[in-house]
Amino acid sequence: MPQEIETPAATSAVAYKRVMLKISGEALMGDQGFGLHPPTVERIAKEVKSVHDMGVEICMVIGGGNIFRGLSGAAQGMERTTADYMGMLATVMNALGMQAALESLGVFTRVISAIPMDQVCEPYIRRRAVRHLEKKRVCIFAAGTGNPYFTTDTAATLRANEMACEAIFKGTKVDGVYDKDPVKFDDAKRYDTVSYDDVLAKRLGVMDASAIALARDNSLPIIVFSLDEPGGFRGILAGEGTYTKVQG
């Protein structure tokens, strides 16, 4: 691995200087239907690197649905708390996979877990995490909030606020927020901007209600974009691309 050198890059040309990227675990499984698909993980890592190379400080939260989904486990008779903890451990596995992909590209990365497991990643300490960002390391926050009954959407919004991120980037399979499912309805209309309250009132499904409320209360914008669009993440930071902005 190359020697790590602190060389802050210029960020004057980008829209945001510190962001949270939230992606689902399903985004990592490609066409497999489960698990990690190495070419897909590498593709996303390259997208992250392209933004990192612009000098943007990046936090990440990755879901665990490609390995285990707590709610579905609970629905099948497993006790909800146990199911949620299993889901949290799945997010750690995804975070380690993404860390390996990023570091193979020369991007220094730290996996920071809300559940202590010192042999494989760091425990969550806010000041230490902020320092990693200042040193231009990508911070991947794993194990949710460390508590059951909270989704990774809520964890991403919580960590984004704690890290003083300027926006949350929610990577999805579509290029924004629509008034109805664009896969099922040809007349679905995409919002350029939409308010937090409209997202909640119309149940637009951007994030769960707790995450939207937390973002609203802290005036943290949410950028919804397509993770499948090559260069989409970088394009938005450069002031281009198609997306929906959720704001007050």
Side-chain angles (χ1 to χ4, degrees):
M1 182 175 293
Q3 183 180 359
E4 187 171 7
I5 303 174
E6 293 184 43
T7 53
T11 56
S12 57
V14 298
Y16 303 102
K17 296 182 179 180
R18 180 180 294 176
V19 301
M20 166 65 72
L21 175 61
K22 166 62 173 69
I23 61 177
S24 67
E26 288 87 347
L28 304 183
M29 66 187 185
D31 297 327
Q32 294 181 146
F34 66 91
L36 291 167
H37 184 237
T40 300
V41 176
E42 182 181 7
R43 176 182 63 79
I44 295 173
K46 287 179 178 177
E47 293 282 333
V48 173
K49 182 181 186 300
S50 70
V51 172
H52 181 267
D53 289 346
M54 299 170 73
V56 178
E57 297 171 3
I58 303 172
C59 307
M60 293 183 69
V61 167
I62 306 172
N66 57 320
I67 299 172
F68 188 86
R69 183 172 290 282
L71 278 174
S72 62
Q76 294 173 15
M78 184 180 296
E79 193 243 338
R80 172 66 187 273
T81 301
T82 299
D84 279 358
Y85 277 123
M86 292 175 69
M88 290 181 218
L89 296 177
T91 71
V92 177
M93 296 172 68
N94 284 338
L96 292 172
M98 181 58 66
Q99 178 185 43
L102 285 167
E103 292 197 334
S104 73
L105 298 173
V107 179
F108 292 96
T109 308
R110 295 293 186 271
V111 173
I112 302 171
S113 173
I115 298 175
M117 47 187 81
D118 296 343
Q119 289 87 346
V120 295
C121 52
E122 294 184 9
Y124 176 69
I125 300 172
R126 188 185 68 83
R127 287 179 180 273
R128 180 185 293 177
V130 169
R131 184 61 179 143
H132 286 321
L133 291 173
E134 291 171 348
K135 290 183 176 181
K136 306 304 177 184
R137 297 164 182 159
V138 173
C139 288
I140 307 177
F141 296 104
T145 65
N147 301 288
Y149 296 96
F150 290 93
T151 67
T152 50
D153 282 344
T154 301
T157 310
L158 174 65
R159 296 293 184 237
N161 280 304
E162 290 179 306
M163 294 298 106
C165 292
E166 297 173 0
I168 298 175
F169 280 70
K170 175 73 181 287
T172 69
K173 293 184 177 297
V174 293
D175 58 356
V177 180
Y178 286 77
D179 60 351
K180 60 181 90 172
D181 189 343
V183 176
K184 297 179 180 178
F185 300 96
D186 292 335
D187 61 343
K189 296 182 180 179
R190 185 181 60 81
Y191 297 95
D192 287 327
T193 62
V194 62
S195 71
Y196 303 110
D197 289 338
D198 280 346
V199 168
L200 292 171
K202 297 178 182 179
R203 302 191 178 203
L204 296 177
V206 176
M207 288 180 161
D208 67 76
S210 296
I212 295 295
L214 184 58
R216 178 191 62 194
D217 293 347
N218 292 277
S219 300
L220 180 66
I222 303 169
I223 310 294
V224 182
F225 72 106
S226 173
L227 197 63
D228 294 335
E229 180 68 27
F233 187 22
R234 179 185 174 91
I236 296 170
L237 268 297
E240 306 167 355
T242 303
Y243 57 91
T244 296
K245 185 175 185 179
V246 182
Q247 58 187 358

PDB file of all heavy atoms in Angstrom, residues 16 30 39 48 59 64 71-72 88 97 115 120 123 125 138 149 154 156 175 190-191 198 205 216 239 245 247:
ATOM      1  N   TYR A  16     -20.281  20.627  -2.775  1.00  0.00           N
ATOM      2  CA  TYR A  16     -20.204  20.294  -1.346  1.00  0.00           C
ATOM      3  C   TYR A  16     -18.793  19.803  -1.025  1.00  0.00           C
ATOM      4  O   TYR A  16     -18.173  19.111  -1.830  1.00  0.00           O
ATOM      5  CB  TYR A  16     -21.212  19.201  -0.987  1.00  0.00           C
ATOM      6  CG  TYR A  16     -22.639  19.549  -1.316  1.00  0.00           C
ATOM      7  CD1 TYR A  16     -23.255  19.029  -2.457  1.00  0.00           C
ATOM      8  CD2 TYR A  16     -23.386  20.387  -0.492  1.00  0.00           C
ATOM      9  CE1 TYR A  16     -24.570  19.343  -2.770  1.00  0.00           C
ATOM     10  CE2 TYR A  16     -24.698  20.708  -0.795  1.00  0.00           C
ATOM     11  CZ  TYR A  16     -25.288  20.176  -1.936  1.00  0.00           C
ATOM     12  OH  TYR A  16     -26.587  20.500  -2.239  1.00  0.00           O
ATOM     13  N   GLY A  30     -25.135  -6.719  -7.540  1.00  0.00           N
ATOM     14  CA  GLY A  30     -25.228  -6.849  -8.987  1.00  0.00           C
ATOM     15  C   GLY A  30     -26.445  -7.659  -9.391  1.00  0.00           C
ATOM     16  O   GLY A  30     -27.544  -7.470  -8.864  1.00  0.00           O
ATOM     17  N   PRO A  39     -17.251  -7.168  -9.251  1.00  0.00           N
ATOM     18  CA  PRO A  39     -17.189  -6.103 -10.265  1.00  0.00           C
ATOM     19  C   PRO A  39     -18.086  -4.908  -9.925  1.00  0.00           C
ATOM     20  O   PRO A  39     -17.732  -3.757 -10.203  1.00  0.00           O
ATOM     21  CB  PRO A  39     -17.669  -6.805 -11.541  1.00  0.00           C
ATOM     22  CG  PRO A  39     -17.386  -8.246 -11.312  1.00  0.00           C
ATOM     23  CD  PRO A  39     -17.630  -8.471  -9.857  1.00  0.00           C
ATOM     24  N   VAL A  48     -16.679   6.444  -6.104  1.00  0.00           N
ATOM     25  CA  VAL A  48     -16.297   7.138  -4.871  1.00  0.00           C
ATOM     26  C   VAL A  48     -14.915   7.771  -5.031  1.00  0.00           C
ATOM     27  O   VAL A  48     -14.690   8.922  -4.642  1.00  0.00           O
ATOM     28  CB  VAL A  48     -16.316   6.168  -3.673  1.00  0.00           C
ATOM     29  CG1 VAL A  48     -15.765   6.838  -2.414  1.00  0.00           C
ATOM     30  CG2 VAL A  48     -17.742   5.668  -3.415  1.00  0.00           C
ATOM     31  N   CYS A  59     -18.082  10.431   3.666  1.00  0.00           N
ATOM     32  CA  CYS A  59     -18.555   9.422   4.608  1.00  0.00           C
ATOM     33  C   CYS A  59     -19.445   8.463   3.827  1.00  0.00           C
ATOM     34  O   CYS A  59     -20.059   8.844   2.838  1.00  0.00           O
ATOM     35  CB  CYS A  59     -19.396  10.033   5.729  1.00  0.00           C
ATOM     36  SG  CYS A  59     -18.635  11.384   6.630  1.00  0.00           S
ATOM     37  N   GLY A  64     -27.408  -3.589   4.655  1.00  0.00           N
ATOM     38  CA  GLY A  64     -27.021  -4.994   4.730  1.00  0.00           C
ATOM     39  C   GLY A  64     -28.010  -5.938   4.082  1.00  0.00           C
ATOM     40  O   GLY A  64     -27.939  -7.149   4.281  1.00  0.00           O
ATOM     41  N   LEU A  71     -35.959  -6.791   9.150  1.00  0.00           N
ATOM     42  CA  LEU A  71     -37.419  -6.788   9.155  1.00  0.00           C
ATOM     43  C   LEU A  71     -37.994  -8.086   8.597  1.00  0.00           C
ATOM     44  O   LEU A  71     -38.953  -8.632   9.135  1.00  0.00           O
ATOM     45  CB  LEU A  71     -37.944  -5.593   8.352  1.00  0.00           C
ATOM     46  CG  LEU A  71     -37.990  -4.248   9.085  1.00  0.00           C
ATOM     47  CD1 LEU A  71     -38.384  -3.139   8.118  1.00  0.00           C
ATOM     48  CD2 LEU A  71     -38.959  -4.303  10.245  1.00  0.00           C
ATOM     49  N   SER A  72     -37.401  -8.596   7.508  1.00  0.00           N
ATOM     50  CA  SER A  72     -37.913  -9.833   6.939  1.00  0.00           C
ATOM     51  C   SER A  72     -37.651 -11.003   7.866  1.00  0.00           C
ATOM     52  O   SER A  72     -38.455 -11.926   7.974  1.00  0.00           O
ATOM     53  CB  SER A  72     -37.296 -10.093   5.562  1.00  0.00           C
ATOM     54  OG  SER A  72     -35.897 -10.247   5.656  1.00  0.00           O
ATOM     55  N   MET A  88     -27.165  -5.576  11.344  1.00  0.00           N
ATOM     56  CA  MET A  88     -26.040  -4.667  11.619  1.00  0.00           C
ATOM     57  C   MET A  88     -24.712  -5.338  11.287  1.00  0.00           C
ATOM     58  O   MET A  88     -23.805  -4.712  10.711  1.00  0.00           O
ATOM     59  CB  MET A  88     -26.055  -4.251  13.086  1.00  0.00           C
ATOM     60  CG  MET A  88     -27.181  -3.335  13.480  1.00  0.00           C
ATOM     61  SD  MET A  88     -27.044  -2.928  15.239  1.00  0.00           S
ATOM     62  CE  MET A  88     -28.770  -2.916  15.699  1.00  0.00           C
ATOM     63  N   GLY A  97     -15.887  -5.052   2.667  1.00  0.00           N
ATOM     64  CA  GLY A  97     -15.738  -5.299   1.230  1.00  0.00           C
ATOM     65  C   GLY A  97     -15.479  -4.021   0.464  1.00  0.00           C
ATOM     66  O   GLY A  97     -14.612  -3.974  -0.431  1.00  0.00           O
ATOM     67  N   ILE A 115     -20.868  -1.029  16.782  1.00  0.00           N
ATOM     68  CA  ILE A 115     -20.709  -2.176  17.678  1.00  0.00           C
ATOM     69  C   ILE A 115     -19.216  -2.485  17.734  1.00  0.00           C
ATOM     70  O   ILE A 115     -18.615  -2.815  16.707  1.00  0.00           O
ATOM     71  CB  ILE A 115     -21.484  -3.404  17.168  1.00  0.00           C
ATOM     72  CG1 ILE A 115     -22.977  -3.097  17.107  1.00  0.00           C
ATOM     73  CG2 ILE A 115     -21.226  -4.612  18.066  1.00  0.00           C
ATOM     74  CD1 ILE A 115     -23.805  -4.213  16.498  1.00  0.00           C
ATOM     75  N   VAL A 120     -11.327  -6.024  13.656  1.00  0.00           N
ATOM     76  CA  VAL A 120     -11.591  -5.802  12.228  1.00  0.00           C
ATOM     77  C   VAL A 120     -11.857  -4.345  11.865  1.00  0.00           C
ATOM     78  O   VAL A 120     -11.745  -3.983  10.694  1.00  0.00           O
ATOM     79  CB  VAL A 120     -12.773  -6.672  11.748  1.00  0.00           C
ATOM     80  CG1 VAL A 120     -12.425  -8.148  11.835  1.00  0.00           C
ATOM     81  CG2 VAL A 120     -14.036  -6.382  12.533  1.00  0.00           C
ATOM     82  N   PRO A 123     -13.856   1.395  16.682  1.00  0.00           N
ATOM     83  CA  PRO A 123     -15.114   1.777  17.334  1.00  0.00           C
ATOM     84  C   PRO A 123     -15.463   3.213  16.966  1.00  0.00           C
ATOM     85  O   PRO A 123     -14.581   3.996  16.577  1.00  0.00           O
ATOM     86  CB  PRO A 123     -14.789   1.652  18.825  1.00  0.00           C
ATOM     87  CG  PRO A 123     -13.316   1.927  18.890  1.00  0.00           C
ATOM     88  CD  PRO A 123     -12.734   1.354  17.627  1.00  0.00           C
ATOM     89  N   ILE A 125     -15.884   6.836  17.459  1.00  0.00           N
ATOM     90  CA  ILE A 125     -15.537   7.972  18.314  1.00  0.00           C
ATOM     91  C   ILE A 125     -15.609   9.191  17.414  1.00  0.00           C
ATOM     92  O   ILE A 125     -14.854   9.299  16.438  1.00  0.00           O
ATOM     93  CB  ILE A 125     -14.130   7.833  18.929  1.00  0.00           C
ATOM     94  CG1 ILE A 125     -14.043   6.560  19.788  1.00  0.00           C
ATOM     95  CG2 ILE A 125     -13.772   9.072  19.751  1.00  0.00           C
ATOM     96  CD1 ILE A 125     -12.648   6.236  20.276  1.00  0.00           C
ATOM     97  N   VAL A 138     -11.623   8.151   3.552  1.00  0.00           N
ATOM     98  CA  VAL A 138     -13.046   7.834   3.449  1.00  0.00           C
ATOM     99  C   VAL A 138     -13.453   7.075   4.711  1.00  0.00           C
ATOM    100  O   VAL A 138     -12.789   6.116   5.107  1.00  0.00           O
ATOM    101  CB  VAL A 138     -13.342   6.980   2.204  1.00  0.00           C
ATOM    102  CG1 VAL A 138     -14.795   6.508   2.206  1.00  0.00           C
ATOM    103  CG2 VAL A 138     -13.044   7.772   0.937  1.00  0.00           C
ATOM    104  N   TYR A 149     -34.173  -1.494  15.823  1.00  0.00           N
ATOM    105  CA  TYR A 149     -35.330  -0.659  15.482  1.00  0.00           C
ATOM    106  C   TYR A 149     -34.945   0.636  14.763  1.00  0.00           C
ATOM    107  O   TYR A 149     -35.799   1.499  14.563  1.00  0.00           O
ATOM    108  CB  TYR A 149     -36.179  -0.336  16.721  1.00  0.00           C
ATOM    109  CG  TYR A 149     -36.809  -1.542  17.347  1.00  0.00           C
ATOM    110  CD1 TYR A 149     -36.205  -2.193  18.419  1.00  0.00           C
ATOM    111  CD2 TYR A 149     -38.012  -2.068  16.866  1.00  0.00           C
ATOM    112  CE1 TYR A 149     -36.759  -3.325  18.990  1.00  0.00           C
ATOM    113  CE2 TYR A 149     -38.584  -3.194  17.434  1.00  0.00           C
ATOM    114  CZ  TYR A 149     -37.957  -3.817  18.487  1.00  0.00           C
ATOM    115  OH  TYR A 149     -38.524  -4.940  19.048  1.00  0.00           O
ATOM    116  N   THR A 154     -31.586   6.014   8.896  1.00  0.00           N
ATOM    117  CA  THR A 154     -31.489   6.849  10.096  1.00  0.00           C
ATOM    118  C   THR A 154     -30.035   6.958  10.548  1.00  0.00           C
ATOM    119  O   THR A 154     -29.575   8.035  10.937  1.00  0.00           O
ATOM    120  CB  THR A 154     -32.359   6.274  11.221  1.00  0.00           C
ATOM    121  OG1 THR A 154     -33.720   6.211  10.777  1.00  0.00           O
ATOM    122  CG2 THR A 154     -32.285   7.143  12.462  1.00  0.00           C
ATOM    123  N   ALA A 156     -27.374   6.799   8.680  1.00  0.00           N
ATOM    124  CA  ALA A 156     -26.668   7.687   7.759  1.00  0.00           C
ATOM    125  C   ALA A 156     -26.959   9.153   8.073  1.00  0.00           C
ATOM    126  O   ALA A 156     -26.063  10.002   8.048  1.00  0.00           O
ATOM    127  CB  ALA A 156     -27.065   7.368   6.316  1.00  0.00           C
ATOM    128  N   ASP A 175     -33.099   8.007 -11.175  1.00  0.00           N
ATOM    129  CA  ASP A 175     -32.367   9.276 -11.145  1.00  0.00           C
ATOM    130  C   ASP A 175     -33.082  10.375 -10.358  1.00  0.00           C
ATOM    131  O   ASP A 175     -33.017  11.551 -10.717  1.00  0.00           O
ATOM    132  CB  ASP A 175     -32.090   9.757 -12.571  1.00  0.00           C
ATOM    133  CG  ASP A 175     -33.362   9.948 -13.388  1.00  0.00           C
ATOM    134  OD1 ASP A 175     -34.459   9.640 -12.873  1.00  0.00           O
ATOM    135  OD2 ASP A 175     -33.257  10.418 -14.534  1.00  0.00           O
ATOM    136  N   ARG A 190     -40.755  13.166 -12.336  1.00  0.00           N
ATOM    137  CA  ARG A 190     -39.638  13.346 -11.409  1.00  0.00           C
ATOM    138  C   ARG A 190     -39.656  14.754 -10.828  1.00  0.00           C
ATOM    139  O   ARG A 190     -39.904  15.730 -11.532  1.00  0.00           O
ATOM    140  CB  ARG A 190     -38.304  13.095 -12.120  1.00  0.00           C
ATOM    141  CG  ARG A 190     -37.086  13.141 -11.183  1.00  0.00           C
ATOM    142  CD  ARG A 190     -35.786  12.907 -11.950  1.00  0.00           C
ATOM    143  NE  ARG A 190     -35.592  13.910 -12.968  1.00  0.00           N
ATOM    144  CZ  ARG A 190     -35.106  15.130 -12.733  1.00  0.00           C
ATOM    145  NH1 ARG A 190     -34.769  15.498 -11.509  1.00  0.00           N
ATOM    146  NH2 ARG A 190     -34.975  15.990 -13.721  1.00  0.00           N
ATOM    147  N   TYR A 191     -39.410  14.853  -9.551  1.00  0.00           N
ATOM    148  CA  TYR A 191     -39.274  16.148  -8.888  1.00  0.00           C
ATOM    149  C   TYR A 191     -37.836  16.640  -9.039  1.00  0.00           C
ATOM    150  O   TYR A 191     -36.890  15.885  -8.831  1.00  0.00           O
ATOM    151  CB  TYR A 191     -39.579  16.041  -7.394  1.00  0.00           C
ATOM    152  CG  TYR A 191     -40.983  15.625  -7.037  1.00  0.00           C
ATOM    153  CD1 TYR A 191     -41.292  14.296  -6.772  1.00  0.00           C
ATOM    154  CD2 TYR A 191     -42.006  16.569  -6.926  1.00  0.00           C
ATOM    155  CE1 TYR A 191     -42.577  13.919  -6.417  1.00  0.00           C
ATOM    156  CE2 TYR A 191     -43.294  16.197  -6.576  1.00  0.00           C
ATOM    157  CZ  TYR A 191     -43.572  14.868  -6.324  1.00  0.00           C
ATOM    158  OH  TYR A 191     -44.835  14.484  -5.969  1.00  0.00           O
ATOM    159  N   ASP A 198     -43.369  17.198   2.176  1.00  0.00           N
ATOM    160  CA  ASP A 198     -44.053  16.516   1.077  1.00  0.00           C
ATOM    161  C   ASP A 198     -43.604  15.052   0.973  1.00  0.00           C
ATOM    162  O   ASP A 198     -44.407  14.171   0.658  1.00  0.00           O
ATOM    163  CB  ASP A 198     -43.804  17.232  -0.250  1.00  0.00           C
ATOM    164  CG  ASP A 198     -44.690  18.456  -0.423  1.00  0.00           C
ATOM    165  OD1 ASP A 198     -45.668  18.597   0.341  1.00  0.00           O
ATOM    166  OD2 ASP A 198     -44.404  19.278  -1.318  1.00  0.00           O
ATOM    167  N   GLY A 205     -41.076   7.631  -0.210  1.00  0.00           N
ATOM    168  CA  GLY A 205     -40.144   6.524  -0.066  1.00  0.00           C
ATOM    169  C   GLY A 205     -38.687   6.854  -0.262  1.00  0.00           C
ATOM    170  O   GLY A 205     -37.891   5.974  -0.616  1.00  0.00           O
ATOM    171  N   ARG A 216     -34.682  17.043   8.230  1.00  0.00           N
ATOM    172  CA  ARG A 216     -35.449  18.292   8.240  1.00  0.00           C
ATOM    173  C   ARG A 216     -35.099  19.149   9.446  1.00  0.00           C
ATOM    174  O   ARG A 216     -34.879  20.365   9.326  1.00  0.00           O
ATOM    175  CB  ARG A 216     -36.943  17.965   8.249  1.00  0.00           C
ATOM    176  CG  ARG A 216     -37.857  19.191   8.300  1.00  0.00           C
ATOM    177  CD  ARG A 216     -39.293  18.781   8.578  1.00  0.00           C
ATOM    178  NE  ARG A 216     -39.402  18.118   9.886  1.00  0.00           N
ATOM    179  CZ  ARG A 216     -40.473  17.426  10.280  1.00  0.00           C
ATOM    180  NH1 ARG A 216     -41.508  17.281   9.483  1.00  0.00           N
ATOM    181  NH2 ARG A 216     -40.491  16.866  11.463  1.00  0.00           N
ATOM    182  N   GLY A 239     -21.800  20.102 -10.326  1.00  0.00           N
ATOM    183  CA  GLY A 239     -22.894  20.969 -10.719  1.00  0.00           C
ATOM    184  C   GLY A 239     -23.660  20.497 -11.940  1.00  0.00           C
ATOM    185  O   GLY A 239     -24.345  21.291 -12.595  1.00  0.00           O
ATOM    186  N   LYS A 245     -33.482  17.033  -5.273  1.00  0.00           N
ATOM    187  CA  LYS A 245     -32.965  17.563  -4.008  1.00  0.00           C
ATOM    188  C   LYS A 245     -34.115  17.705  -3.021  1.00  0.00           C
ATOM    189  O   LYS A 245     -35.101  18.390  -3.304  1.00  0.00           O
ATOM    190  CB  LYS A 245     -32.283  18.923  -4.232  1.00  0.00           C
ATOM    191  CG  LYS A 245     -31.619  19.489  -2.983  1.00  0.00           C
ATOM    192  CD  LYS A 245     -30.855  20.768  -3.322  1.00  0.00           C
ATOM    193  CE  LYS A 245     -30.080  21.300  -2.115  1.00  0.00           C
ATOM    194  NZ  LYS A 245     -29.315  22.517  -2.446  1.00  0.00           N
ATOM    195  N   GLN A 247     -35.252  19.219   0.379  1.00  0.00           N
ATOM    196  CA  GLN A 247     -34.824  20.301   1.261  1.00  0.00           C
ATOM    197  C   GLN A 247     -36.073  20.958   1.862  1.00  0.00           C
ATOM    198  O   GLN A 247     -37.204  20.604   1.553  1.00  0.00           O
ATOM    199  CB  GLN A 247     -33.997  21.318   0.507  1.00  0.00           C
ATOM    200  CG  GLN A 247     -34.711  21.940  -0.681  1.00  0.00           C
ATOM    201  CD  GLN A 247     -33.818  22.820  -1.531  1.00  0.00           C
ATOM    202  OE1 GLN A 247     -32.661  23.019  -1.229  1.00  0.00           O
ATOM    203  NE2 GLN A 247     -34.376  23.354  -2.615  1.00  0.00           N
TER     204      GLN A 247
END
